[in-house]
Amino acid sequence: MAAEGYEGVLVYFGCAGWLKRVYKKVEHEVIEMVKMTKSVGRDPRRIIHSIKVALAITLASFFYYFKPLYDSFGASAIWAIITVIVVFEFSVGATIGKGLNRMIATILGGALGFGTHYLANLCGDKGQPLILGALVFVVAAIASFMRFFPSMKARYDYGLLIFILTFSMVAVSSYRDDEVLKLASDRFLTIVIGSFIAVSICIFVCPIWIGNDLHDQLVNNVENLATFLQEFGAQYFRSSQGVEQVNKASMHKYKTILTSKQSEESMANLARWEPGPRKFGFRHPWKQYLNISSSARECAYRVRVLDVYLENNDQIQIESQFKEEFLRMCKESAKALKEVAMAIKKMAPPALASAHIERAKATTENLSSLLANHRFEGLEMIPTATLVSLLIDLLCCIEKVADCTRELGCVANLRRGESLGAVVPAADQDLINV
Amino acid sequence: MAAEGYEGVLVYFGCAGWLKRVYKKVEHEVIEMVKMTKSVGRDPRRIIHSIKVALAITLASFFYYFKPLYDSFGASAIWAIITVIVVFEFSVGATIGKGLNRMIATILGGALGFGTHYLANLCGDKGQPLILGALVFVVAAIASFMRFFPSMKARYDYGLLIFILTFSMVAVSSYRDDEVLKLASDRFLTIVIGSFIAVSICIFVCPIWIGNDLHDQLVNNVENLATFLQEFGAQYFRSSQGVEQVNKASMHKYKTILTSKQSEESMANLARWEPGPRKFGFRHPWKQYLNISSSARECAYRVRVLDVYLENNDQIQIESQFKEEFLRMCKESAKALKEVAMAIKKMAPPALASAHIERAKATTENLSSLLANHRFEGLEMIPTATLVSLLIDLLCCIEKVADCTRELGCVANLRRGESLGAVVPAADQDLINV
């Protein structure tokens, strides 16, 4: 009895311990989940997007709730709900792109599917599945291959998928279903309605324009480069009397530029679907944005090397006469970049950037003459010489960013002029084709 | 009459000119298309993939062609075709990921949809659409929001979409359709069959493993860095007697590394779905690949700066004693990188890399003492000092790549040991958690 009681106590404590561990684990998971939700929800647009999606689905499901609507489409109404869910994306550009792709591909795929159906019908009962199978095979293979074409992949990948889907559905199901024409036309109509609901809610309820995002991201990228140069100058070249706190976090924001190429390219592709009720038009020169972005990325590579070089060699002594020139150079380069960022923001040529770049160039000349006349001991000159080379190299890159921005400003001005009916000067015509 | 004849001639020539222009344009388009097709088809795996997709669709459409199969599923068989088309991706990992996501999400969404249906049924005829609408709204909003969670987005984005889709379909259509349970179970079964067809053909007919692709790409990336250093040394530091042709194209292959981060991350995510019949197992340390890749990218930033620096300053005179040391340093660094590439290929620690890195470090010491004892005139020392700094910095990065590769080798060895039932030494246990 005593032994049994002892075992019971053991089991009790064993269970209690196990329950406690499970409780702790669940508590930990819940806390993690809450933290994650908070951090994801910090961007209120995500919450708004989720509500918009739910709203669009609810709207589309009225096809079921209201008898008159249900009577006209029947079970095909489910395609409206499916379309809303599949087409609704975060940004207006992506939603319009998917909606148009889906509608056009459904029409084309459906039409070709019918053609195949009639062709197969001519071949009698035995030949029909053979002809159908062969044609579906060939069309599916060709369309799948076309999805690899870069120009197709960028904008019409989803359309090609839906084309294969609709074509196969219509062609194959026509073999068993005689009412396939009615079904397909109902399906097309409900897809149009679903796309319309998705696109309307996406545009008219707190729209998120991917073009704006790309624009802001580019401005931020250039500003982050400027911030780096400012803080970098303050950290390494400020004379000892003026001690200022350096903000490491904002200094390292430039790192996102290093790897942003793919996301920017896809943003530019999506932005091309967006209509022009906002500040950008349909023919906004998004390609020029990518040019600016790739020259900003070249700056970022130099900045990265500069950053790590001084982080690894923080005991470096640089003489104060050089420090002053370096500080001036960093300041002028940062000002030029800020000017460029402002110009991108306004889509105008960066008027004052060249002046800052010229001043920065003047300091490089001062630095060169200081270097030429200075007597260094041993290896002393390595860091100074390296910094001079890297900063001159960076300045070249900054100049390229300014040039690209100037082109963007000119093209944007021309476009604006065109849309106002102004005459485009012949000499600037080639800029439009950039 | 004469005037009419004249007009007729004009119209004729106008038409002829127009036709000629159209013909020229069509000809140009066709030629472009053929060129594009050739360049896309240069990778035979794309052609094979297209044929595999067509084959899978044809297989799935037997549900229509064969009467016994059609009788058991009826029109629900269309979901097998849809599933095949939507799930079939280029790589095995992506196809399995999508197939599993689709199947699990369909089951979960369907079950929750039924729950909602029964709950709404309890509220009488008038309350039913209200409760249905409210629940669909809330679930859709929450699931849409969860798609923003980074951990969800990486692997379960498609699953969440299909969850919303199935849940809405079942919950909403249950309002009108009493046979919804039969329909949903048929749909689930056909989706399982469709996924099964897609995954089987993807795995058993010329499979394309994304894990292999990631592995090869990483090896290539490191090899391209080595090639750059080799050719770079040959171009700038070889003494004049040994003139060798430098291959600019292969020298610049390193550029792809600069912007490959996003594609590599998505490849690693997809590779985690792949089972282990090939050389990698289910628990292959793909994360470690990304570590190696990001340290290789840090090398690439330095290489980029080096590349452009010497391109811009190709008139630089470097004294022959420095040239020799630079050449040796480039050669040893390149050898170390080649060793690392080979080690990644074999998934073993890079045994000889440290020796090459040590030798490269010795040359940096030689360079330092040469620099310290050399008398430079004016600005002569800038390029030499800059090259020394950049190459030392690059060497640090190469060392990090070698360290990451060593970790990969250890982890891979441990995994192999585990799967053979070997005992893992306690001291190395923490490596497994990398």
Side-chain angles (χ1 to χ4, degrees):
Chain A
M1 280 298 281
E4 264 177 34
Y6 183 64
E7 267 176 20
V9 169
L10 269 187
V11 168
Y12 171 77
F13 277 107
C15 278
W18 180 81
L19 275 176
K20 210 172 174 182
R21 279 198 303 279
V22 168
Y23 174 75
K24 284 264 171 217
K25 199 163 180 197
V26 170
E27 193 187 17
H28 174 78
E29 288 290 318
V30 170
I31 290 173
E32 284 297 307
M33 193 78 182
V34 170
K35 268 189 203 161
M36 177 71 86
T37 310
K38 266 188 188 165
S39 90
V40 171
R42 205 163 289 155
D43 183 354
R45 303 189 306 170
R46 291 174 174 169
I47 301 172
I48 294 170
H49 168 77
S50 312
I51 294 172
K52 278 160 68 181
V53 173
L55 185 67
I57 295 173
T58 308
L59 268 185
S61 50
F62 278 116
F63 277 94
Y64 271 86
Y65 301 150
F66 283 129
K67 190 124 181 49
L69 278 175
Y70 185 73
D71 287 342
S72 50
F73 289 110
S76 286
I78 206 67
W79 286 105
I81 299 180
I82 293 179
T83 302
V84 162
I85 297 172
V86 174
V87 160
F88 212 116
E89 293 274 333
F90 190 59
S91 67
V92 175
T95 309
I96 293 179
K98 263 194 150 175
L100 283 181
N101 262 305
R102 194 175 172 93
M103 286 190 282
I104 294 168
T106 302
I107 266 280
L108 292 181
L112 198 64
F114 273 114
T116 309
H117 168 61
Y118 284 113
L119 200 70
N121 255 357
L122 299 177
C123 303
D125 271 357
K126 286 211 170 153
Q128 198 180 358
L130 286 179
I131 293 288
L132 271 182
L135 283 174
V136 167
F137 187 94
V138 170
V139 172
I142 291 174
S144 298
F145 185 72
M146 281 176 72
R147 289 179 74 190
F148 291 109
F149 285 33
S151 52
M152 286 294 188
K153 203 174 186 64
R155 298 190 73 193
Y156 306 110
D157 192 57
Y158 184 66
L160 279 168
L161 182 77
I162 296 297
F163 171 81
I164 303 175
L165 196 80
T166 312
F167 168 75
S168 310
M169 276 175 77
V170 172
V172 174
S173 69
S174 69
Y175 183 61
R176 292 283 171 198
D177 202 336
D178 293 331
E179 278 209 334
V180 75
L181 187 62
K182 163 94 175 84
L183 256 177
S185 68
D186 273 0
R187 194 191 157 209
F188 176 68
L189 223 69
T190 44
I191 281 179
V192 170
I193 293 169
S195 302
F196 187 74
I197 293 174
V199 169
S200 314
I201 290 190
C202 200
I203 291 185
F204 296 115
V205 183
C206 308
I208 295 154
W209 302 93
I210 195 109
N212 282 3
D213 280 13
L214 177 57
H215 185 86
D216 295 347
Q217 183 169 320
L218 194 57
V219 173
N220 275 342
N221 281 352
V222 177
E223 268 174 1
N224 288 340
L225 287 174
T227 309
F228 171 85
L229 280 173
Q230 242 175 354
E231 303 277 337
F232 174 80
Q235 182 167 12
Y236 292 105
F237 308 128
R238 193 175 292 281
S239 51
S240 49
Q241 63 261 39
V243 179
E244 208 174 292
Q245 199 55 45
V246 171
N247 188 342
K248 279 266 176 190
S250 70
M251 186 169 163
H252 285 136
K253 273 186 186 160
Y254 76 88
K255 282 185 191 169
T256 54
I257 316 168
L258 293 168
T259 51
S260 63
K261 186 174 183 245
Q262 284 175 340
S263 77
E264 276 162 9
E265 277 175 1
S266 74
M267 282 165 100
N269 270 329
L270 294 178
R272 284 157 71 197
W273 290 109
E274 290 183 350
R278 305 278 288 211
K279 55 185 170 182
F280 317 121
F282 234 137
R283 286 170 59 232
H284 196 67
W286 297 116
K287 233 181 177 175
Q288 196 61 29
Y289 277 67
L290 296 182
N291 289 348
I292 299 179
S293 166
S294 81
S295 49
R297 201 163 300 115
E298 287 287 335
C299 286
Y301 299 149
R302 271 95 193 145
V303 159
R304 178 78 194 138
V305 174
L306 261 179
D307 187 13
V308 177
Y309 182 69
L310 284 198
E311 230 172 58
N312 290 347
N313 304 281
D314 57 352
Q315 300 304 320
I316 283 172
Q317 292 298 323
I318 294 169
E319 300 207 10
S320 61
Q321 44 181 335
F322 287 104
K323 272 190 175 177
E324 263 170 46
E325 294 294 328
F326 279 138
L327 183 59
R328 195 170 304 139
M329 188 167 175
C330 286
K331 272 188 180 167
E332 291 297 334
S333 304
K335 276 182 193 164
L337 281 171
K338 287 222 159 140
E339 199 53 46
V340 168
M342 187 59 77
I344 300 174
K345 211 175 211 165
K346 292 184 192 157
M347 280 180 295
L352 298 171
S354 344
H356 291 298
I357 290 172
E358 285 311 315
R359 261 176 253 153
K361 274 188 184 162
T363 62
T364 66
E365 275 157 32
N366 291 351
L367 275 167
S368 299
S369 66
L370 273 175
L371 264 177
N373 299 315
H374 196 82
R375 276 264 152 274
F376 288 101
E377 292 292 317
L379 296 171
E380 258 182 20
M381 90 296 200
I382 292 186
T384 313
T386 307
L387 282 176
V388 170
S389 301
L390 286 178
L391 284 171
I392 290 177
D393 199 14
L394 179 58
L395 195 59
C396 287
C397 292
I398 293 176
E399 222 175 342
K400 270 182 204 151
V401 180
D403 289 344
C404 288
T405 309
R406 198 165 295 120
E407 267 176 57
L408 170 71
C410 292
V411 179
N413 274 344
L414 281 177
R415 292 269 159 89
R416 262 180 240 152
E418 270 179 77
S419 62
L420 293 171
V423 180
V424 180
D428 286 339
Q429 279 283 12
D430 56 333
L431 278 173
I432 303 178
N433 300 323
V434 173
Chain B
M1 279 298 282
E4 263 175 38
Y6 182 63
E7 267 174 20
V9 169
L10 267 186
V11 168
Y12 172 77
F13 277 108
C15 278
W18 180 81
L19 275 175
K20 208 172 176 182
R21 280 198 301 279
V22 168
Y23 174 75
K24 283 265 171 216
K25 201 165 180 196
V26 169
E27 193 186 17
H28 175 78
E29 289 289 318
V30 169
I31 291 173
E32 284 297 306
M33 192 79 181
V34 169
K35 267 188 202 161
M36 177 71 86
T37 310
K38 264 188 189 166
S39 90
V40 170
R42 205 163 289 156
D43 182 356
R45 302 189 307 171
R46 293 175 172 167
I47 300 171
I48 293 171
H49 168 76
S50 312
I51 294 172
K52 278 160 69 181
V53 173
L55 186 67
I57 296 172
T58 308
L59 268 185
S61 48
F62 278 118
F63 278 93
Y64 272 86
Y65 300 150
F66 283 130
K67 191 128 181 48
L69 278 175
Y70 185 74
D71 287 343
S72 49
F73 290 108
S76 285
I78 206 70
W79 287 105
I81 299 180
I82 293 180
T83 302
V84 162
I85 296 171
V86 173
V87 159
F88 211 116
E89 293 273 333
F90 190 58
S91 67
V92 174
T95 309
I96 293 180
K98 264 196 149 174
L100 283 179
N101 262 306
R102 193 173 173 94
M103 286 191 280
I104 294 168
T106 302
I107 266 279
L108 291 181
L112 199 64
F114 274 115
T116 309
H117 169 61
Y118 284 115
L119 200 70
N121 254 357
L122 299 177
C123 302
D125 271 358
K126 284 209 172 155
Q128 198 180 359
L130 286 178
I131 294 288
L132 272 182
L135 283 175
V136 167
F137 187 93
V138 170
V139 172
I142 292 174
S144 297
F145 184 72
M146 280 177 72
R147 289 179 75 189
F148 290 111
F149 285 34
S151 51
M152 287 293 187
K153 204 175 185 62
R155 298 189 74 193
Y156 307 110
D157 192 56
Y158 184 66
L160 280 168
L161 182 78
I162 295 298
F163 171 81
I164 304 176
L165 195 80
T166 313
F167 168 75
S168 310
M169 277 176 76
V170 172
V172 173
S173 67
S174 71
Y175 183 60
R176 291 282 169 197
D177 201 336
D178 292 332
E179 278 208 334
V180 76
L181 187 63
K182 163 91 176 87
L183 256 178
S185 67
D186 272 0
R187 194 192 156 207
F188 177 68
L189 223 69
T190 44
I191 281 179
V192 170
I193 293 170
S195 302
F196 186 76
I197 293 174
V199 169
S200 314
I201 291 190
C202 200
I203 292 185
F204 296 115
V205 183
C206 310
I208 294 153
W209 303 92
I210 195 108
N212 283 3
D213 280 11
L214 177 57
H215 185 88
D216 295 346
Q217 182 169 319
L218 194 57
V219 173
N220 275 342
N221 281 352
V222 177
E223 267 173 1
N224 288 340
L225 288 174
T227 309
F228 171 84
L229 279 173
Q230 244 175 353
E231 303 277 338
F232 173 80
Q235 181 167 12
Y236 292 105
F237 309 127
R238 193 176 292 281
S239 50
S240 50
Q241 64 259 38
V243 180
E244 209 175 293
Q245 199 54 44
V246 171
N247 188 341
K248 279 266 176 190
S250 71
M251 185 169 164
H252 286 136
K253 274 188 186 160
Y254 76 88
K255 282 185 191 170
T256 54
I257 315 168
L258 292 168
T259 50
S260 63
K261 186 174 183 245
Q262 284 177 341
S263 77
E264 277 163 8
E265 277 176 1
S266 72
M267 282 165 101
N269 270 328
L270 294 178
R272 285 157 71 197
W273 292 110
E274 290 182 350
R278 305 277 289 213
K279 55 186 171 182
F280 316 121
F282 234 137
R283 288 170 58 233
H284 196 68
W286 298 116
K287 233 180 175 174
Q288 196 61 28
Y289 277 66
L290 296 183
N291 290 347
I292 299 179
S293 165
S294 81
S295 48
R297 201 163 300 113
E298 287 287 333
C299 287
Y301 298 150
R302 271 95 194 144
V303 159
R304 178 78 193 138
V305 174
L306 262 178
D307 187 14
V308 177
Y309 181 69
L310 285 197
E311 231 172 58
N312 290 346
N313 304 281
D314 58 351
Q315 300 304 320
I316 284 172
Q317 291 298 322
I318 295 168
E319 300 207 11
S320 62
Q321 44 181 335
F322 287 105
K323 273 190 174 177
E324 263 170 46
E325 295 294 327
F326 279 137
L327 184 59
R328 196 170 304 140
M329 187 164 174
C330 285
K331 271 187 180 168
E332 292 296 335
S333 304
K335 276 181 192 165
L337 282 170
K338 288 222 159 141
E339 198 53 47
V340 167
M342 188 57 76
I344 300 174
K345 211 174 211 164
K346 293 183 191 159
M347 280 181 295
L352 298 171
S354 343
H356 291 298
I357 290 172
E358 285 311 315
R359 259 175 253 152
K361 274 187 183 162
T363 61
T364 67
E365 275 155 33
N366 292 350
L367 274 167
S368 299
S369 65
L370 274 174
L371 262 178
N373 299 315
H374 197 82
R375 277 264 151 275
F376 287 102
E377 292 292 319
L379 296 171
E380 258 181 20
M381 89 297 202
I382 293 187
T384 314
T386 307
L387 283 176
V388 169
S389 301
L390 286 177
L391 284 172
I392 289 178
D393 199 15
L394 179 58
L395 195 58
C396 286
C397 292
I398 293 175
E399 222 175 342
K400 272 183 202 148
V401 179
D403 289 345
C404 289
T405 308
R406 197 165 293 120
E407 269 177 56
L408 171 71
C410 292
V411 179
N413 275 344
L414 282 175
R415 293 268 159 87
R416 263 181 239 150
E418 270 178 76
S419 62
L420 293 171
V423 180
V424 180
D428 285 340
Q429 278 282 12
D430 57 332
L431 276 175
I432 302 177
N433 300 323
V434 173

